[in-house]
């Protein structure tokens, strides 16, 4: 009997399902429309339909499912739309307004009209409590428990659903925070509570406070979502322990995710990077720029030597989050991005999106504003009659009408306007890739562009030419790679301790003791997750800087005991990282260790990427027909062969222009490009020149 591993990625437009048969090694995919009002409904529908399609004898009950991994945008969407719960805050006396003051810097230096994101806790719900721990751990003023109780009663009266507790140096000595939580729980046992020493035990008081507040604000939303999803999965007969993706690319159990939703804010995009990493490794391309274009946004990341850097801090939709996450950059450019004319009379695309409901104009669900997908349907790079392998009809006539109205206002022709929409979107995505490459000292021309997401392969060839990149890799199932990434990742947890120490032999003892303490916490996590000793792995890094610098660089630490030679190696690694990022090394300047980190990985069985026998150069057997496609290079419609992706075999080659269609995506091969299929069924596009 088959044993299935299931990965589900719930996006803003579609819910993607990837199923891997452990016994036969086959991969099956399915895609359904998302249900924004309750994403758990779309997930259950997708799993049920997918199982019924690939294993009808086992679809009900879903007992053969031995692993269930899930990536979600629930936390992200709740943050974007400010649909979190009414939240209270308890902090150190004198720091009530820190959440609003922040760092006193504007995201756009010369924009006098720039809006700050809304403060997530109203001022009357922010309470100060006398207490003070010094930076060295000394208690200068004990916690005033009477004031703490008064704050708890006031928050109870106000009817808050969640409370964040963050004291100034609680990450060094957490006794005051722990006692505050005890008092709050005695007064409000059912309220969701987040504490700084548990969520973000690191220095920088504003970023830590922002992270704890976000966790509290999103906590009941994520918990409610998991409580709705769990019985839906149980109703399908699923007995596997469900897991949720973290922003760091690993997965955690539903219970941990419900308590730490801030770690899942980039849940969906992270697994796409994990999937790209695995596919790139077997295909022989480890220097990658990932290009994940969905319905609402585009996510890009850089993999150097097969590794994506882990950021310890990021700003997500205007809010600082101090939690480990893959270094992914997001822009509001997707298939649903709406095209408009700005105040200066210029064409603008995104970041506003039409989402899954009503969707682009061609979906015929009531939207009248043209989106990127409508432009592709008009140009006929996308099938002008249907999507999802025929399951979803589209209305090209409606898309033409909507873009036609835009063309009249711009004084352009219909096709020029549609191509203009594509050009603007391409420029937006190229700018995002330059942020994670050129601005960090990497030349995109040295990398392969891996395109996935439902719309990634559709735009990848033009984006590669915009960046002068010579190669594009399209995986076998690009539209569901984020779901497949869930079957290629491990359980992961990250632990950190801030220790401001000189990078010298004098710090060996304290560094060693700190890593021992982190290892003990990691060991407790391994036990909690039930990970066998043979499957446990620890990785150490140190955040370092020159004395006086305001930002750190992460430097990996070798295995083994911490010795003076270890510290010297760290200093050398920091100099190399500093030269890569900033172009120079400050010889003779003192170097500091700031935060010590430990990544705990619990290895699990993963889907296997199998190679296939060579099928010869001739790809004629995959041609299903032809249609007229508008190419700006010709300034006209060009008869273009259509290839069925599932019929392409390893070794097959063909030249552009061509369109490759499959259920979950469409790939455009431009004139002057060649396409070939490798042994793992990846489609490799290369410019002839």
């Amino acid at each position: 009997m088959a044993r299935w591993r299931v990965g589900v990625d719930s996006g803003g437009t579609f819910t993607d399902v990837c199923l891997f048969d452990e016994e036969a090694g086959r991969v099956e995919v399915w895609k359904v429309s998302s249900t924004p009002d309750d994403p758990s409904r779309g997930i259950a529908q997708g799993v049920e339909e997918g199982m019924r399609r690939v294993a009808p004898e086992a679809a009900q009950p879903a007992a053969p499912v031995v692993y269930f991994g899930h990536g979600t945008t629930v936390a992200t969407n709740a943050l974007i739309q400010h649909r979190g719960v009414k939240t209270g805050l308890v902090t150190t006396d004198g720091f009530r307004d820190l959440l609003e003051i922040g760092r006193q810097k504007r995201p756009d230096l010369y924009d006098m009209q720039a809006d700050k994101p809304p403060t997530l806790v109203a001022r009357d719900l922010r309470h100060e409590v006398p207490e003070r721990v010094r930076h060295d751990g000394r208690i200068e003023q004990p916690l005033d428990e009477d004031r703490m109780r008064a704050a708890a009663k006031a928050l109870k009266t106000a009817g808050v659903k969640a409370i964040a507790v963050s004291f100034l140096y609680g990450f060094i000595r957490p006794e005051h925070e722990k006692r505050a939580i005890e008092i709050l729980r005695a007064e409000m046992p059912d309220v969701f509570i987040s504490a700084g020493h548990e969520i973000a035990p690191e220095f920088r008081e504003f970023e830590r406070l922002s992270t704890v507040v976000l966790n509290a604000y999103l906590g009941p939303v994520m918990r409610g979502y998991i409580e709705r999803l769990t019985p839906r999965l149980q109703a399908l007969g699923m007995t596997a322990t469900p897991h949720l993706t973290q922003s760091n690319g690993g997965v955690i159990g539903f219970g941990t995710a419900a308590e730490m939703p801030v770690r899942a804010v980039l849940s969906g995009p992270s697994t796409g990077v994990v999937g790209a990493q695995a596919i790139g490794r077997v295909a022989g391309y480890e220097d990658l720029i990932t290009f994940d274009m969905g319905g609402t946004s585009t996510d890009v990341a850089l993999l150097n030597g097969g590794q994506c850097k882990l950021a310890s801090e990021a700003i997500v939709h205007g809010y600082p989050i101090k939690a480990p996450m893959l270094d992914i950059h997001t822009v509001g450019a997707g298939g649903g991005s709406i095209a408009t004319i700005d105040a200066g009379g210029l064409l603008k695309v995104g970041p506003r999106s039409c989402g899954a409901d009503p969707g682009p104009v061609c979906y015929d669900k009531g939207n009248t504003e043209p989106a990127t997908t409508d432009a592709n349907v008009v140009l006929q790079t996308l099938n002008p009659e249907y999507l999802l392998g025929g399951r979803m009809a589209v209305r090209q006539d409606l898309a033409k009408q909507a873009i036609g109205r835009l063309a009249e206002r711009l004084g352009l022709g219909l096709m020029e306007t549609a191509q203009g929409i594509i050009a603007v979107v391409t420029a937006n995505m190229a700018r995002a890739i330059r942020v994670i490459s050129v601005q960090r000292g990497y030349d995109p021309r040295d990398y392969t562009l891996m395109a996935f997401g439902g719309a990634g392969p559709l735009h990848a060839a033009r984006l590669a030419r915009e960046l002068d990149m010579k190669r594009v890799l399209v995986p076998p199932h690009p539209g569901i790679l984020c779901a497949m990434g869930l079957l290629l990742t491990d359980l992961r947890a990250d632990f950190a301790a801030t220790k401001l120490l000189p990078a010298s032999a004098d710090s060996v003892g304290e560094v060693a003791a700190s890593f021992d303490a982190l290892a003990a916490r990691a060991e407790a996590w391994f036990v909690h997750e039930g990970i066998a000793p043979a499957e446990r792995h620890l990785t150490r890094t140190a955040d370092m800087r020159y004395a006086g610098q305001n930002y750190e660089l992460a430097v990996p630490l070798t295995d083994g005991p911490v010795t003076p030679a270890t510290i010297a190696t760290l200093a050398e690694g920091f100099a190399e990282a500093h030269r890569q990022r900033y172009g120079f090394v400050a010889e003779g300047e003192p170097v500091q260790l700031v935060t010590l980190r430990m990544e705990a990985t619990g290895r699990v069985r993963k889907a296997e990427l199998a190679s296939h026998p060579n099928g010869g150069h001739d790809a004629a057997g995959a041609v299903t027909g032809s249609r007229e496609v508008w190419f700006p290079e010709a300034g006209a419609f060009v008869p273009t062969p259509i290839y069925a992706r599932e019929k392409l075999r390893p070794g097959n080659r063909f030249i552009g222009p061509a369109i490759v269609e499959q259920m979950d995506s469409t790939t455009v091969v431009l004139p002057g490009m060649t396409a070939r299929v490798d042994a793992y069924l990846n489609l490799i596009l290369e410019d002839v020149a």
Side-chain angles (χ1 to χ4, degrees), residues 213-527:
V213 166
L214 274 169
N215 198 75
Y217 180 74
L218 299 173
V221 176
M222 181 65 83
R223 180 182 285 176
Y225 167 70
I226 288 174
E227 287 174 351
R228 290 191 301 274
L229 176 59
T230 301
R232 290 188 189 277
L233 296 177
Q234 291 171 344
L236 295 177
M238 190 178 297
T239 57
T241 301
H243 292 87
L244 191 81
T245 322
Q246 297 182 91
S247 304
N248 64 5
V251 291
I252 49 175
F254 270 21
T256 306
E259 296 302 317
M260 293 188 174
V262 76
R263 298 209 167 190
V265 167
L266 294 181
S267 172
S270 66
T271 46
V273 174
V274 172
Q277 185 178 28
I279 289 172
R281 186 184 303 117
V282 298
Y285 303 106
E286 295 201 331
D287 290 339
L288 297 169
I289 291 177
T290 65
F291 167 50
D292 177 6
M293 184 176 180
T296 306
S297 62
T298 291
D299 305 298
V300 297
L302 185 141
L303 277 66
N304 197 34
Q307 298 296 319
C308 181
K309 288 188 176 180
L310 199 66
S312 61
E313 181 182 317
I315 296 177
V316 180
H317 302 291
Y319 300 97
I321 295 180
K322 206 160 185 56
M325 55 186 70
L326 294 178
D327 194 2
I328 298 171
H329 184 63
T330 303
V331 292
S337 294
I338 292 173
T340 57
I341 299 174
D342 67 14
L346 300 176
L347 181 64
K348 179 181 179 182
V349 185
R352 193 161 58 91
S353 174
C354 56
D357 188 11
V361 176
C362 63
Y363 287 11
D364 195 16
K365 293 184 178 179
N367 178 35
T368 58
E369 295 181 285
T372 307
T373 296
D374 295 307
N376 280 301
V377 167
V378 168
L379 295 168
Q380 300 198 157
T381 46
L382 263 182
N383 192 306
E385 298 177 1
Y386 59 80
L387 299 175
L388 299 183
R391 290 191 291 127
M392 183 177 186
V394 296
R395 293 276 305 273
Q396 188 189 47
D397 59 326
L398 296 180
K400 285 182 175 180
Q401 291 172 20
I403 293 179
R405 290 191 293 270
L406 204 63
E408 288 179 12
R409 295 175 60 193
L410 290 168
L412 296 173
L414 175 67
M415 307 314 296
E416 288 79 9
T417 302
Q419 188 60 47
I421 293 172
I422 304 302
V424 172
V425 168
T426 301
N428 291 342
M429 296 181 296
R431 188 162 54 247
I433 286 178
R434 291 189 182 101
V435 168
I436 53 107
S437 58
V438 176
Q439 292 185 18
R440 299 180 186 178
Y442 300 98
D443 189 339
R445 294 174 296 184
D446 298 333
Y447 291 78
T448 296
L449 184 69
M450 182 177 283
F452 53 98
L458 192 63
H459 296 262
R462 294 217 174 276
L463 178 60
R465 283 191 173 172
E466 178 84 8
L467 294 163
D468 203 19
M469 299 174 72
K470 300 303 181 186
R471 185 184 299 111
V472 176
L473 188 155
V474 182
H477 305 289
I480 54 85
L481 188 65
C482 288
M484 187 172 184
L486 284 154
L487 308 182
L488 298 169
T489 189
D490 291 310
L491 293 169
R492 277 180 57 176
D494 295 274
F495 306 93
T498 293
K499 295 286 181 181
L500 193 58
L501 301 167
S504 67
D506 296 339
S507 302
V508 167
E510 197 158 355
V511 171
S514 296
F515 275 123
D516 286 344
L518 293 176
R521 292 170 59 193
E523 182 67 24
W525 177 79
F526 283 138
V527 173

Side-chain angles (χ1 to χ4, degrees), residues 36-40 72-87 161-162 192 214-229 244 257-262:
D37 59 312
D38 181 3
S40 66
T72 180
T73 56
V74 165
T76 313
N77 292 341
L79 179 58
I80 294 171
Q81 300 169 25
H82 300 111
R83 290 190 294 102
V85 301
K86 188 176 184 179
T87 303
K161 302 298 182 184
F192 187 95
L214 274 169
N215 198 75
Y217 180 74
L218 299 173
V221 176
M222 181 65 83
R223 180 182 285 176
Y225 167 70
I226 288 174
E227 287 174 351
R228 290 191 301 274
L229 176 59
L244 191 81
E259 296 302 317
M260 293 188 174
V262 76

Side-chain angles (χ1 to χ4, degrees), residues 104-148:
Q104 294 187 340
K105 60 182 180 182
R106 297 195 301 273
D108 297 293
L109 186 61
Y110 298 106
D111 185 357
M112 300 301 291
Q113 308 300 321
D115 294 325
K116 290 176 64 177
T119 305
L120 299 181
V121 181
R123 195 169 192 271
D124 63 318
L125 299 178
R126 305 198 294 258
H127 291 264
E128 299 176 335
V129 177
E131 70 84 38
R132 180 57 66 92
V133 174
R134 302 297 294 176
H135 69 281
D136 56 5
R138 290 182 294 110
I139 294 179
E140 183 172 293
Q141 182 178 6
L143 176 69
D144 187 329
E145 296 195 5
D146 291 337
R147 287 278 296 275
M148 185 62 231

Side-chain angles (χ1 to χ4, degrees), residues 503 542-546 549 551-555 567 570-571 573-574 591-595:
D543 291 356
M544 303 177 68
R545 69 183 184 187
Y546 288 118
Q549 273 188 316
Y551 295 98
E552 301 79 47
L553 295 173
V555 182
I567 304 298
L570 275 175
F574 170 72
V591 177
Q592 294 176 326
L593 300 164
V594 179
T595 300

Side-chain angles (χ1 to χ4, degrees), residues 634-655:
F637 281 99
V638 177
T640 304
I642 309 299
Y643 291 82
R645 182 70 186 268
E646 65 273 13
K647 294 183 179 180
L648 289 171
R649 294 292 173 260
N652 285 180
R653 295 174 179 269
F654 53 95
I655 60 172

